[in-house]
Amino acid sequence: QKEVEQNSGPLSVPEGAIASLNCTYSDRGSQSFFWYRQYSGKSPELIMFIYSNGDKEDGRFTAQLNKASQYVSLLIRDSQPSDSATYLCAVRQAGTALIFGKGTTLSVSS
Amino acid sequence: DAGITQSPRHKVTETGTPVTLRCHQTENHRYMYWYRQDPGHGLRLIHYSYGVKDTDKGEVSDGYSVSRSKTEDFLLTLESATSSQTSVYFCAISEQVQETQYFGPGTRLLVL
């Protein structure tokens, strides 16, 4: 069973802190990795994707990928209350399938 | 929502009745997907389409069928709805299989 694992949380951080969200995956053949944000009652929206080992930065968000350890993370700098949401990690394996983790709920307190 | 609409947005139906959900896109993307999202399970792929009349099964396809007669429309049919199909259904699209998937607003389905 090919799996994507996330800690369900909730992860609670104060406003202005760095939030660190983690995701592990079981299939070594996985090729691309996505982070989506989902507000309660809304649809998932893409934050960023990463294909290569290392870091990728976009504004306050940084995705980190370590294929050897089968680990992908999302860092949110200067966390804001508006960042409070569920964050979904998704991993594309060879072929079509995009496998989603169950999500981590982030709560940013003001 | 990247030019994706879903209809209906909410539906209540009874066990044993057929139900059809519609996904419509204005992006002319080749790939379309149907997912269901349930507490404790996350998003799971039901069926996907890689072109007009070209579809394939996903992880949880039992009890569901799909059709795609036009590039812009992808229909999901519950042939005989069951209470276990109560869920939130999301349609997604992507231009190519390896590219980002964009999601529609979702349909909340309650089967009594």
Side-chain angles (χ1 to χ4, degrees), chain A residues 51-71:
Chain A
Y51 296 151
S52 303
N53 274 332
D55 295 359
K56 179 180 179 182
E57 186 174 322
D58 184 0
R60 295 187 296 112
F61 299 96
T62 299
Q64 299 175 317
L65 175 60
N66 184 325
K67 288 187 176 180
S69 299
Q70 294 176 242
Y71 178 94

Side-chain angles (χ1 to χ4, degrees), chain A residues 4 7 11-12 27 38-40 51 55-56 70 94 97 101 106:
Chain A
V4 176
N7 188 324
L11 173 65
S12 297
D27 184 7
Q38 186 174 26
Y39 292 112
S40 181
Y51 296 151
D55 295 359
K56 179 180 179 182
Q70 294 176 242
L106 173 65

Side-chain angles (χ1 to χ4, degrees), chain B residues 71-84:
Chain B
T71 298
E72 58 266 34
D73 289 326
F74 191 32
L75 303 181
L76 175 71
T77 297
L78 289 63
E79 292 136 12
S80 178
T82 68
S83 57
S84 65

